[in-house]
Amino acid sequence: MWSFGALYLQLMNIIFLLIAASTVVALIFLASFIWAVRTGQFDDDRAPAIRILDGPGRSKEDMNERKDR
Amino acid sequence: MDADGHDFCCSGCRAVYSLLQESGLSTYYELEKRPGTKVGPAQSDEWRSEVFDIPQVQDRLISFREGGMARVTFTVPQMHCSSCIWLLENLDRVEPAIMRSRVRFGEKSLSITYRDDHIGLRGVVELLRRIGYGPRIVNGEEDAGKRRIPRDLYVRLGVAAFAFGNIMLFSFPEYLGATDQDHTLRRGFQWLSLVFALPVVLYAAAGFFRSAWTGIRAGTTNIDQPIALGIIALFGRSLYEVVSGVGPGYFDSLAGLVFFLLVGHWYRSFVYGSLSFDRSLNDFLPLVVMRKRGQQEEAVRVDELDVGDQLIVRDQELVPVDGLLIDGPASIDNSFITGEPLPVIKVPGDQIAAGGRQRGGSITVQVVRTFKESQLKRLWEEHGSNESDRPVMGRLVDKVARRFIFFVLAVAGASGLFWAGRDPAMVLPVITAVLIVACPCALALSMPFTYGHVTRLLGKRGLFLREAEVVERMADVDTLVLDKTGTLTEREAHVLRFTGPPLSASEQSRIRSLVAQSAHPLSQAIYQGSNATLCTVSDFKEHAGSGLEGVVDGCRVRMGSHAFVDVDERHEGQVQVLMDGIHRGAFLIAKRPRPGMQAVLRALGRRYPLHLLTGDVSVDQEVAECFDRERTHVRCTPAMKASTVERMGSEGKRVMMVGDGLNDAGALHRSHVGVTLCESTVALTPASDAILDAGRSDLLPGALLLARKARSIVFTSLVLSLLYNVIGLSYAVTGALTPLIAAILMPLSSVTVVGFVTMAVRYAASRSLPDDRQDGR
């Protein structure tokens, strides 16, 4: 039989657990952000965005070639 | 020009188009509406491609070389849009010997890995030049990488943002009115906030403490001092509250404050980071020079030259030392050092000063003084160096900060005294609350954002400012001084005037045929100035330094200096013309005024007194009519230009000097704002606060207007932020500053101030600046 007080205590414990877990997750994201900065991923914000669009099928010629095949 | 339904500005661009079309790179033209850089004629200060075959040059440039592969990194200032990136990263499809090319857009750098045995460094450079992305090669330290936004700043920003977000979440129970029932939870959150605030104060905010401390030690006030004081007050008060358990503290406001301030810092480096003003004189020297040793030539560095060495200088190359001409004739263009527009003819035995550029055939020069002792180096060191020792004008923000910090301390002291009489327990809380709320966050943000935006908008259009304070100084300007040669006039193009009776068609063709034989700059100017038909010339002779003669169409034509054609010195004109012994007249040759310059001068003249400084003897009609006679100073040496500007400065005038290079360096240095007009990205810009793209002189009136508007925007935003401070202070002095009010008030003031200045600057710019010509960005 659960008393109201006991339920409250149970809930509190879960909240502490959740806070601890979420803090750890947040710290992991902070660490990965710092890692990303240190490995130079923020050095250039323009070229990588273009690079990912580059590839076969981008230009009209490539499209035509594919149709021909 | 038209090809395949595309429209091109010049034949160069069309050539690039067909080159790309062949290589299957036409996506270039699909990525952006107007891609590419205009392919102009080769720039005169560009190095000849043969230079890149010299092993010593290759060693300097190539960073890595192994097994027939080499990697080289260039700075390519022309890249500006997605199409540029796309093309430069697909160079391997244009030239199979290139294996990989990678762009770093922020630094405008391009690193290329290529097969050394197939194409070679020269081939790579020539390819880049052909497609309009000729690399900038500097002699000094490689400058790519210096201009990057420090990675450190991103980490600090990240830490502050992380702490800000989390602490705010932890503070929600407090905002929403948590009760004592949740005591454990509240205490837990408070301690967690404290833990998260530690890296913010100790790491993210470290720069503010450092700058504040530097200021204290130097005995000056700066904006970082009230900020540091605010951060310390915030942290100390919050630490006390949490440890003693009386309250939740203000950690959320603290983290938010640091975060917003760092955003301001980031924005500043974002705007100014991509500019490189610190070019040294060394960047202008050739990488290597050819020293004569017996019958052979060897490539050596300029600093290896000794007095007595002989070196060979080819067409368009710079003479890097003071020397004696051994083998000539030389035609030396001194515009770089003296501003003298037309080349000077030297014959063997004449002195040549360092910095002159040879135009014409190759010459041999004997070293008289090495580069270190040369006149050029002295001129540079006197006032050219970029570590500006210009008296540091009090930055407006620091001036405001000084009043502000005394005001805050006074309010804090007064309210402390007031409470001491009523309720001693309230003294410390009230004093810290005053310090917290008075933290001039909005104040510190309004200037970097206002001037940063102005700088960015001007930079997009072609006027680049060295730092934010230049905008402030531009707003003060009340007098304009302009240099003529290279500034008001073009560097290369000429206008011709013939003094005698008009020439008939056959006379014109005789003259043009004769000058076509000569490579002398004056001959070239006359040649290009007419389109008469050419006929054969017999018995042609060129007398170096004096003139030409030959028989054209059965008529003996002599052209040249007064002495050469034997006419009276009183006849004006540089090139006298004699036909069959009869003096026919003379050519007056002057540089052509830049297009649109007159309109710009008239617009400027409406508001500012205009002064003209020129090294020339006379001023052409077109230019002269824009200036008052008494404000036109002719025959100015660089030293006279400098002293004229200095005298105006001491008369209390705020002078903006517009010049074009080293010969104006002294004047630029002594002016309130020095603007250098630049034809290419590789020009030398000593002692200047701003660099203006030569084609965009129409920006000047608008830029000055915008600078004045920007200053009133800053004032308005200061009033706005002071208003917030007054509201905050009214809470603080009455002891009613709750964490919630602080947490709302501080970010709100920062955001509104930043938002206000951004909108205001955009609006002001759209009203005062001509349209952005590049729609690529």
Side-chain angles (χ1 to χ4, degrees), chain A residues 8 19 23 26-27 30 33 37-38 40 43-44 46 50-51 54 58-61, chain B residues 26-27 30-31 82 86 89-90 102-106 151 154 158 162 182 189 196:
Chain A
Y8 180 78
I19 290 167
T23 309
L27 283 172
L30 179 67
F33 171 73
V37 172
R38 296 227 185 270
D43 289 357
D44 188 0
R46 192 101 189 265
I50 306 295
R51 211 171 281 151
D54 179 22
R58 184 74 182 84
S59 72
K60 278 179 189 160
E61 269 88 73
Chain B
S26 56
T27 306
E30 292 164 23
L31 285 170
S82 320
W86 190 82
E89 295 215 327
N90 280 292
R102 275 285 172 270
V103 165
R104 268 174 189 264
F105 191 78
R151 288 179 181 173
Y154 282 111
F162 167 81
D182 323 305
F189 278 153
F196 279 14

mmCIF file of all heavy atoms in Angstrom, chain A residues 8 19 23 26-27 30 33 37-38 40 43-44 46 50-51 54 58-61, chain B residues 26-27 30-31 82 86 89-90 102-106 151 154 158 162 182 189 196:
data_model
loop_
_atom_site.group_PDB
_atom_site.id
_atom_site.type_symbol
_atom_site.label_atom_id
_atom_site.label_comp_id
_atom_site.label_asym_id
_atom_site.label_seq_id
_atom_site.Cartn_x
_atom_site.Cartn_y
_atom_site.Cartn_z
ATOM 1 N N TYR A 8 5.523 10.508 -3.232
ATOM 2 C CA TYR A 8 6.230 11.764 -3.496
ATOM 3 C C TYR A 8 7.737 11.538 -3.471
ATOM 4 O O TYR A 8 8.469 11.995 -4.353
ATOM 5 C CB TYR A 8 5.805 12.798 -2.444
ATOM 6 C CG TYR A 8 6.478 14.132 -2.639
ATOM 7 C CD1 TYR A 8 6.019 14.998 -3.627
ATOM 8 C CD2 TYR A 8 7.559 14.503 -1.860
ATOM 9 C CE1 TYR A 8 6.646 16.208 -3.820
ATOM 10 C CE2 TYR A 8 8.184 15.709 -2.046
ATOM 11 C CZ TYR A 8 7.719 16.571 -3.037
ATOM 12 O OH TYR A 8 8.336 17.763 -3.224
ATOM 13 N N ILE A 19 17.560 14.232 -13.783
ATOM 14 C CA ILE A 19 18.415 15.425 -13.882
ATOM 15 C C ILE A 19 19.855 15.013 -14.107
ATOM 16 O O ILE A 19 20.546 15.543 -14.995
ATOM 17 C CB ILE A 19 18.293 16.280 -12.611
ATOM 18 C CG1 ILE A 19 16.911 16.932 -12.562
ATOM 19 C CG2 ILE A 19 19.381 17.352 -12.599
ATOM 20 C CD1 ILE A 19 16.593 17.519 -11.226
ATOM 21 N N THR A 23 21.872 15.896 -17.455
ATOM 22 C CA THR A 23 23.101 16.682 -17.356
ATOM 23 C C THR A 23 24.253 15.976 -18.050
ATOM 24 O O THR A 23 25.046 16.597 -18.770
ATOM 25 C CB THR A 23 23.445 16.934 -15.883
ATOM 26 O OG1 THR A 23 22.307 17.460 -15.228
ATOM 27 C CG2 THR A 23 24.604 17.894 -15.763
ATOM 28 N N ALA A 26 23.813 16.377 -21.703
ATOM 29 C CA ALA A 26 24.171 17.745 -22.100
ATOM 30 C C ALA A 26 25.680 17.916 -22.134
ATOM 31 O O ALA A 26 26.238 18.525 -23.060
ATOM 32 C CB ALA A 26 23.549 18.747 -21.138
ATOM 33 N N LEU A 27 26.361 17.351 -21.149
ATOM 34 C CA LEU A 27 27.815 17.478 -21.105
ATOM 35 C C LEU A 27 28.458 16.760 -22.292
ATOM 36 O O LEU A 27 29.459 17.229 -22.841
ATOM 37 C CB LEU A 27 28.363 16.926 -19.782
ATOM 38 C CG LEU A 27 28.170 17.863 -18.588
ATOM 39 C CD1 LEU A 27 28.565 17.179 -17.293
ATOM 40 C CD2 LEU A 27 28.983 19.138 -18.780
ATOM 41 N N LEU A 30 28.182 19.078 -25.120
ATOM 42 C CA LEU A 30 29.160 20.162 -24.996
ATOM 43 C C LEU A 30 30.542 19.665 -25.396
ATOM 44 O O LEU A 30 31.268 20.324 -26.149
ATOM 45 C CB LEU A 30 29.186 20.692 -23.555
ATOM 46 C CG LEU A 30 30.188 21.816 -23.310
ATOM 47 C CD1 LEU A 30 29.793 23.065 -24.070
ATOM 48 C CD2 LEU A 30 30.315 22.138 -21.830
ATOM 49 N N PHE A 33 30.816 19.327 -29.045
ATOM 50 C CA PHE A 33 30.938 20.644 -29.668
ATOM 51 C C PHE A 33 32.390 21.134 -29.595
ATOM 52 O O PHE A 33 32.968 21.582 -30.584
ATOM 53 C CB PHE A 33 30.014 21.650 -28.977
ATOM 54 C CG PHE A 33 30.234 23.072 -29.418
ATOM 55 C CD1 PHE A 33 29.817 23.494 -30.663
ATOM 56 C CD2 PHE A 33 30.886 23.982 -28.595
ATOM 57 C CE1 PHE A 33 30.024 24.787 -31.086
ATOM 58 C CE2 PHE A 33 31.108 25.283 -29.013
ATOM 59 C CZ PHE A 33 30.676 25.682 -30.255
ATOM 60 N N VAL A 37 34.953 21.961 -32.660
ATOM 61 C CA VAL A 37 35.667 23.226 -32.851
ATOM 62 C C VAL A 37 37.164 22.960 -32.968
ATOM 63 O O VAL A 37 37.836 23.471 -33.851
ATOM 64 C CB VAL A 37 35.379 24.193 -31.683
ATOM 65 C CG1 VAL A 37 36.280 25.413 -31.793
ATOM 66 C CG2 VAL A 37 33.929 24.615 -31.681
ATOM 67 N N ARG A 38 37.658 22.122 -32.063
ATOM 68 C CA ARG A 38 39.109 21.907 -32.039
ATOM 69 C C ARG A 38 39.608 21.184 -33.279
ATOM 70 O O ARG A 38 40.765 21.335 -33.648
ATOM 71 C CB ARG A 38 39.506 21.110 -30.797
ATOM 72 C CG ARG A 38 39.233 21.842 -29.512
ATOM 73 C CD ARG A 38 40.424 21.780 -28.568
ATOM 74 N NE ARG A 38 40.086 22.397 -27.290
ATOM 75 C CZ ARG A 38 40.269 23.686 -27.025
ATOM 76 N NH1 ARG A 38 40.807 24.470 -27.928
ATOM 77 N NH2 ARG A 38 39.933 24.178 -25.862
ATOM 78 N N GLY A 40 38.564 21.804 -36.166
ATOM 79 C CA GLY A 40 38.511 22.725 -37.298
ATOM 80 C C GLY A 40 37.200 22.724 -38.067
ATOM 81 O O GLY A 40 37.143 23.218 -39.183
ATOM 82 N N ASP A 43 36.008 26.264 -38.902
ATOM 83 C CA ASP A 43 36.933 27.186 -39.546
ATOM 84 C C ASP A 43 36.366 27.762 -40.833
ATOM 85 O O ASP A 43 36.633 28.886 -41.191
ATOM 86 C CB ASP A 43 38.260 26.481 -39.848
ATOM 87 C CG ASP A 43 39.022 26.206 -38.583
ATOM 88 O OD1 ASP A 43 38.530 26.626 -37.521
ATOM 89 O OD2 ASP A 43 40.079 25.573 -38.639
ATOM 90 N N ASP A 44 35.622 26.966 -41.551
ATOM 91 C CA ASP A 44 35.076 27.440 -42.808
ATOM 92 C C ASP A 44 33.607 27.052 -42.850
ATOM 93 O O ASP A 44 33.267 25.882 -42.759
ATOM 94 C CB ASP A 44 35.834 26.799 -43.977
ATOM 95 C CG ASP A 44 35.427 27.423 -45.287
ATOM 96 O OD1 ASP A 44 34.574 28.337 -45.264
ATOM 97 O OD2 ASP A 44 35.951 27.011 -46.328
ATOM 98 N N ARG A 46 31.443 27.979 -45.322
ATOM 99 C CA ARG A 46 30.818 28.122 -46.641
ATOM 100 C C ARG A 46 31.139 26.943 -47.558
ATOM 101 O O ARG A 46 30.242 26.338 -48.119
ATOM 102 C CB ARG A 46 31.301 29.432 -47.271
ATOM 103 C CG ARG A 46 30.547 29.856 -48.489
ATOM 104 C CD ARG A 46 29.541 30.927 -48.195
ATOM 105 N NE ARG A 46 28.693 31.153 -49.354
ATOM 106 C CZ ARG A 46 28.922 32.102 -50.255
ATOM 107 N NH1 ARG A 46 29.940 32.900 -50.117
ATOM 108 N NH2 ARG A 46 28.115 32.240 -51.272
ATOM 109 N N ILE A 50 28.820 23.828 -49.922
ATOM 110 C CA ILE A 50 28.777 23.710 -51.378
ATOM 111 C C ILE A 50 29.232 22.310 -51.786
ATOM 112 O O ILE A 50 28.688 21.695 -52.688
ATOM 113 C CB ILE A 50 29.718 24.752 -52.030
ATOM 114 C CG1 ILE A 50 29.389 26.142 -51.532
ATOM 115 C CG2 ILE A 50 29.641 24.680 -53.538
ATOM 116 C CD1 ILE A 50 28.041 26.633 -51.913
ATOM 117 N N ARG A 51 30.268 21.836 -51.079
ATOM 118 C CA ARG A 51 30.893 20.566 -51.432
ATOM 119 C C ARG A 51 29.877 19.428 -51.426
ATOM 120 O O ARG A 51 29.915 18.552 -52.262
ATOM 121 C CB ARG A 51 32.000 20.294 -50.402
ATOM 122 C CG ARG A 51 33.152 19.526 -50.947
ATOM 123 C CD ARG A 51 34.270 19.515 -49.924
ATOM 124 N NE ARG A 51 35.018 20.762 -49.908
ATOM 125 C CZ ARG A 51 35.630 21.230 -48.824
ATOM 126 N NH1 ARG A 51 35.581 20.573 -47.684
ATOM 127 N NH2 ARG A 51 36.294 22.359 -48.880
ATOM 128 N N ASP A 54 27.946 18.953 -54.519
ATOM 129 C CA ASP A 54 28.708 18.606 -55.704
ATOM 130 C C ASP A 54 28.711 17.088 -55.857
ATOM 131 O O ASP A 54 28.824 16.349 -54.903
ATOM 132 C CB ASP A 54 30.131 19.131 -55.534
ATOM 133 C CG ASP A 54 30.978 18.781 -56.712
ATOM 134 O OD1 ASP A 54 30.410 18.537 -57.781
ATOM 135 O OD2 ASP A 54 32.195 18.741 -56.547
ATOM 136 N N ARG A 58 24.618 16.705 -60.782
ATOM 137 C CA ARG A 58 24.374 18.087 -60.396
ATOM 138 C C ARG A 58 24.135 18.966 -61.610
ATOM 139 O O ARG A 58 23.274 19.827 -61.594
ATOM 140 C CB ARG A 58 25.584 18.583 -59.593
ATOM 141 C CG ARG A 58 25.413 19.967 -59.053
ATOM 142 C CD ARG A 58 24.445 19.957 -57.878
ATOM 143 N NE ARG A 58 24.248 21.298 -57.388
ATOM 144 C CZ ARG A 58 23.373 22.149 -57.927
ATOM 145 N NH1 ARG A 58 22.665 21.783 -58.965
ATOM 146 N NH2 ARG A 58 23.226 23.348 -57.419
ATOM 147 N N SER A 59 24.906 18.726 -62.651
ATOM 148 C CA SER A 59 24.821 19.652 -63.780
ATOM 149 C C SER A 59 23.906 19.095 -64.859
ATOM 150 O O SER A 59 23.583 17.914 -64.883
ATOM 151 C CB SER A 59 26.210 19.890 -64.366
ATOM 152 O OG SER A 59 26.630 18.734 -65.043
ATOM 153 N N LYS A 60 23.502 19.978 -65.757
ATOM 154 C CA LYS A 60 22.608 19.562 -66.838
ATOM 155 C C LYS A 60 23.250 18.497 -67.706
ATOM 156 O O LYS A 60 22.601 17.551 -68.125
ATOM 157 C CB LYS A 60 22.237 20.774 -67.690
ATOM 158 C CG LYS A 60 21.126 21.591 -67.094
ATOM 159 C CD LYS A 60 20.829 22.782 -67.970
ATOM 160 C CE LYS A 60 19.877 23.729 -67.264
ATOM 161 N NZ LYS A 60 19.939 25.065 -67.839
ATOM 162 N N GLU A 61 24.565 18.655 -67.951
ATOM 163 C CA GLU A 61 25.251 17.669 -68.791
ATOM 164 C C GLU A 61 25.173 16.283 -68.185
ATOM 165 O O GLU A 61 24.886 15.304 -68.847
ATOM 166 C CB GLU A 61 26.738 18.029 -68.941
ATOM 167 C CG GLU A 61 27.023 18.894 -70.126
ATOM 168 C CD GLU A 61 26.872 20.347 -69.738
ATOM 169 O OE1 GLU A 61 27.748 20.816 -69.031
ATOM 170 O OE2 GLU A 61 25.871 20.971 -70.110
ATOM 171 N N SER B 26 29.961 23.157 -66.543
ATOM 172 C CA SER B 26 29.061 24.290 -66.727
ATOM 173 C C SER B 26 28.123 24.504 -65.551
ATOM 174 O O SER B 26 27.402 25.494 -65.512
ATOM 175 C CB SER B 26 28.261 24.132 -68.018
ATOM 176 O OG SER B 26 27.580 22.905 -67.979
ATOM 177 N N THR B 27 28.136 23.597 -64.595
ATOM 178 C CA THR B 27 27.358 23.830 -63.381
ATOM 179 C C THR B 27 27.726 25.165 -62.756
ATOM 180 O O THR B 27 26.926 25.817 -62.097
ATOM 181 C CB THR B 27 27.640 22.725 -62.354
ATOM 182 O OG1 THR B 27 27.408 21.490 -62.978
ATOM 183 C CG2 THR B 27 26.754 22.846 -61.137
ATOM 184 N N GLU B 30 25.328 27.567 -63.247
ATOM 185 C CA GLU B 30 23.982 27.306 -62.747
ATOM 186 C C GLU B 30 23.857 27.612 -61.269
ATOM 187 O O GLU B 30 22.771 27.809 -60.760
ATOM 188 C CB GLU B 30 23.615 25.826 -62.985
ATOM 189 C CG GLU B 30 23.449 25.505 -64.460
ATOM 190 C CD GLU B 30 23.474 24.011 -64.718
ATOM 191 O OE1 GLU B 30 23.191 23.248 -63.783
ATOM 192 O OE2 GLU B 30 23.798 23.624 -65.845
ATOM 193 N N LEU B 31 24.995 27.620 -60.568
ATOM 194 C CA LEU B 31 24.940 27.784 -59.121
ATOM 195 C C LEU B 31 24.561 29.195 -58.717
ATOM 196 O O LEU B 31 23.844 29.406 -57.759
ATOM 197 C CB LEU B 31 26.292 27.429 -58.497
ATOM 198 C CG LEU B 31 26.603 25.935 -58.415
ATOM 199 C CD1 LEU B 31 28.045 25.732 -58.004
ATOM 200 C CD2 LEU B 31 25.687 25.254 -57.430
ATOM 201 N N SER B 82 29.378 30.905 -54.392
ATOM 202 C CA SER B 82 29.316 29.448 -54.445
ATOM 203 C C SER B 82 29.935 28.918 -55.722
ATOM 204 O O SER B 82 30.590 27.874 -55.727
ATOM 205 C CB SER B 82 27.869 28.987 -54.404
ATOM 206 O OG SER B 82 27.137 29.764 -53.512
ATOM 207 N N TRP B 86 32.841 26.102 -56.152
ATOM 208 C CA TRP B 86 32.571 24.911 -56.918
ATOM 209 C C TRP B 86 33.632 24.703 -57.994
ATOM 210 O O TRP B 86 34.173 23.624 -58.156
ATOM 211 C CB TRP B 86 31.186 25.029 -57.554
ATOM 212 C CG TRP B 86 30.758 23.753 -58.162
ATOM 213 C CD1 TRP B 86 30.203 22.688 -57.520
ATOM 214 C CD2 TRP B 86 30.894 23.383 -59.512
ATOM 215 N NE1 TRP B 86 29.986 21.684 -58.402
ATOM 216 C CE2 TRP B 86 30.394 22.081 -59.641
ATOM 217 C CE3 TRP B 86 31.386 24.037 -60.646
ATOM 218 C CZ2 TRP B 86 30.369 21.396 -60.844
ATOM 219 C CZ3 TRP B 86 31.356 23.360 -61.853
ATOM 220 C CH2 TRP B 86 30.849 22.059 -61.945
ATOM 221 N N GLU B 89 37.104 23.833 -56.581
ATOM 222 C CA GLU B 89 37.223 22.486 -56.032
ATOM 223 C C GLU B 89 37.107 21.422 -57.112
ATOM 224 O O GLU B 89 37.294 20.239 -56.837
ATOM 225 C CB GLU B 89 36.151 22.272 -54.952
ATOM 226 C CG GLU B 89 36.389 23.192 -53.778
ATOM 227 C CD GLU B 89 36.030 22.579 -52.449
ATOM 228 O OE1 GLU B 89 35.095 21.778 -52.402
ATOM 229 O OE2 GLU B 89 36.708 22.900 -51.456
ATOM 230 N N ASN B 90 36.788 21.825 -58.328
ATOM 231 C CA ASN B 90 36.684 20.861 -59.417
ATOM 232 C C ASN B 90 37.761 21.076 -60.473
ATOM 233 O O ASN B 90 37.571 20.730 -61.629
ATOM 234 C CB ASN B 90 35.307 20.946 -60.066
ATOM 235 C CG ASN B 90 34.283 20.208 -59.252
ATOM 236 O OD1 ASN B 90 34.319 18.979 -59.163
ATOM 237 N ND2 ASN B 90 33.405 20.934 -58.613
ATOM 238 N N ARG B 102 41.163 22.055 -52.596
ATOM 239 C CA ARG B 102 40.257 22.327 -51.483
ATOM 240 C C ARG B 102 40.275 23.808 -51.123
ATOM 241 O O ARG B 102 41.335 24.411 -51.062
ATOM 242 C CB ARG B 102 40.684 21.523 -50.252
ATOM 243 C CG ARG B 102 40.135 20.115 -50.238
ATOM 244 C CD ARG B 102 38.662 20.131 -49.887
ATOM 245 N NE ARG B 102 38.037 18.825 -50.036
ATOM 246 C CZ ARG B 102 37.472 18.377 -51.161
ATOM 247 N NH1 ARG B 102 37.491 19.114 -52.243
ATOM 248 N NH2 ARG B 102 36.909 17.195 -51.198
ATOM 249 N N VAL B 103 39.095 24.317 -50.886
ATOM 250 C CA VAL B 103 38.954 25.737 -50.585
ATOM 251 C C VAL B 103 38.673 25.920 -49.100
ATOM 252 O O VAL B 103 37.960 25.122 -48.497
ATOM 253 C CB VAL B 103 37.769 26.311 -51.400
ATOM 254 C CG1 VAL B 103 37.347 27.645 -50.862
ATOM 255 C CG2 VAL B 103 38.131 26.419 -52.855
ATOM 256 N N ARG B 104 39.270 26.928 -48.525
ATOM 257 C CA ARG B 104 38.803 27.414 -47.227
ATOM 258 C C ARG B 104 38.266 28.801 -47.478
ATOM 259 O O ARG B 104 39.030 29.734 -47.683
ATOM 260 C CB ARG B 104 39.961 27.493 -46.231
ATOM 261 C CG ARG B 104 40.138 26.255 -45.409
ATOM 262 C CD ARG B 104 41.395 26.392 -44.587
ATOM 263 N NE ARG B 104 41.709 25.141 -43.954
ATOM 264 C CZ ARG B 104 41.358 24.830 -42.720
ATOM 265 N NH1 ARG B 104 40.702 25.699 -41.991
ATOM 266 N NH2 ARG B 104 41.664 23.675 -42.209
ATOM 267 N N PHE B 105 36.962 28.913 -47.484
ATOM 268 C CA PHE B 105 36.369 30.160 -47.962
ATOM 269 C C PHE B 105 36.658 31.330 -47.037
ATOM 270 O O PHE B 105 36.955 32.429 -47.476
ATOM 271 C CB PHE B 105 34.862 29.979 -48.129
ATOM 272 C CG PHE B 105 34.215 31.105 -48.845
ATOM 273 C CD1 PHE B 105 34.312 31.202 -50.215
ATOM 274 C CD2 PHE B 105 33.552 32.091 -48.152
ATOM 275 C CE1 PHE B 105 33.733 32.249 -50.888
ATOM 276 C CE2 PHE B 105 32.972 33.146 -48.819
ATOM 277 C CZ PHE B 105 33.061 33.218 -50.187
ATOM 278 N N GLY B 106 36.575 31.068 -45.746
ATOM 279 C CA GLY B 106 36.787 32.150 -44.788
ATOM 280 C C GLY B 106 38.141 32.812 -44.959
ATOM 281 O O GLY B 106 38.281 34.020 -44.820
ATOM 282 N N ARG B 151 39.581 29.753 -32.719
ATOM 283 C CA ARG B 151 38.732 28.614 -32.324
ATOM 284 C C ARG B 151 38.315 28.733 -30.869
ATOM 285 O O ARG B 151 37.225 28.344 -30.473
ATOM 286 C CB ARG B 151 39.508 27.315 -32.507
ATOM 287 C CG ARG B 151 39.697 26.951 -33.946
ATOM 288 C CD ARG B 151 40.480 25.677 -34.058
ATOM 289 N NE ARG B 151 40.694 25.332 -35.451
ATOM 290 C CZ ARG B 151 41.466 24.326 -35.844
ATOM 291 N NH1 ARG B 151 42.101 23.596 -34.957
ATOM 292 N NH2 ARG B 151 41.608 24.061 -37.118
ATOM 293 N N TYR B 154 35.012 30.262 -30.212
ATOM 294 C CA TYR B 154 33.861 29.372 -30.385
ATOM 295 C C TYR B 154 33.658 28.514 -29.145
ATOM 296 O O TYR B 154 32.532 28.274 -28.723
ATOM 297 C CB TYR B 154 34.065 28.477 -31.609
ATOM 298 C CG TYR B 154 33.795 29.164 -32.909
ATOM 299 C CD1 TYR B 154 34.820 29.455 -33.791
ATOM 300 C CD2 TYR B 154 32.498 29.537 -33.260
ATOM 301 C CE1 TYR B 154 34.584 30.089 -34.999
ATOM 302 C CE2 TYR B 154 32.251 30.170 -34.461
ATOM 303 C CZ TYR B 154 33.296 30.443 -35.325
ATOM 304 O OH TYR B 154 33.041 31.077 -36.499
ATOM 305 N N GLY B 158 30.482 28.453 -26.811
ATOM 306 C CA GLY B 158 29.765 27.209 -26.565
ATOM 307 C C GLY B 158 29.565 26.971 -25.081
ATOM 308 O O GLY B 158 28.458 26.630 -24.632
ATOM 309 N N PHE B 162 25.980 26.923 -23.316
ATOM 310 C CA PHE B 162 25.597 25.702 -22.615
ATOM 311 C C PHE B 162 25.167 26.025 -21.184
ATOM 312 O O PHE B 162 24.090 25.621 -20.725
ATOM 313 C CB PHE B 162 26.799 24.749 -22.613
ATOM 314 C CG PHE B 162 26.671 23.585 -21.687
ATOM 315 C CD1 PHE B 162 25.943 22.471 -22.060
ATOM 316 C CD2 PHE B 162 27.290 23.594 -20.439
ATOM 317 C CE1 PHE B 162 25.822 21.388 -21.216
ATOM 318 C CE2 PHE B 162 27.171 22.521 -19.590
ATOM 319 C CZ PHE B 162 26.434 21.417 -19.979
ATOM 320 N N ASP B 182 9.533 21.865 -1.880
ATOM 321 C CA ASP B 182 10.508 21.258 -2.789
ATOM 322 C C ASP B 182 11.935 21.614 -2.380
ATOM 323 O O ASP B 182 12.792 21.806 -3.237
ATOM 324 C CB ASP B 182 10.269 21.754 -4.219
ATOM 325 C CG ASP B 182 8.806 21.916 -4.516
ATOM 326 O OD1 ASP B 182 8.090 20.934 -4.341
ATOM 327 O OD2 ASP B 182 8.396 23.035 -4.895
ATOM 328 N N PHE B 189 19.149 22.295 -7.486
ATOM 329 C CA PHE B 189 19.246 23.139 -8.673
ATOM 330 C C PHE B 189 20.183 24.315 -8.445
ATOM 331 O O PHE B 189 20.957 24.685 -9.325
ATOM 332 C CB PHE B 189 17.852 23.652 -9.065
ATOM 333 C CG PHE B 189 17.059 22.661 -9.860
ATOM 334 C CD1 PHE B 189 15.676 22.675 -9.840
ATOM 335 C CD2 PHE B 189 17.709 21.714 -10.638
ATOM 336 C CE1 PHE B 189 14.942 21.765 -10.588
ATOM 337 C CE2 PHE B 189 16.982 20.803 -11.386
ATOM 338 C CZ PHE B 189 15.597 20.820 -11.355
ATOM 339 N N PHE B 196 27.715 25.014 -12.827
ATOM 340 C CA PHE B 196 27.755 25.369 -14.246
ATOM 341 C C PHE B 196 28.246 26.793 -14.469
ATOM 342 O O PHE B 196 28.742 27.116 -15.547
ATOM 343 C CB PHE B 196 26.356 25.210 -14.865
ATOM 344 C CG PHE B 196 26.026 23.794 -15.226
ATOM 345 C CD1 PHE B 196 26.804 22.745 -14.735
ATOM 346 C CD2 PHE B 196 24.966 23.496 -16.056
ATOM 347 C CE1 PHE B 196 26.511 21.434 -15.072
ATOM 348 C CE2 PHE B 196 24.673 22.186 -16.396
ATOM 349 C CZ PHE B 196 25.437 21.155 -15.897
#
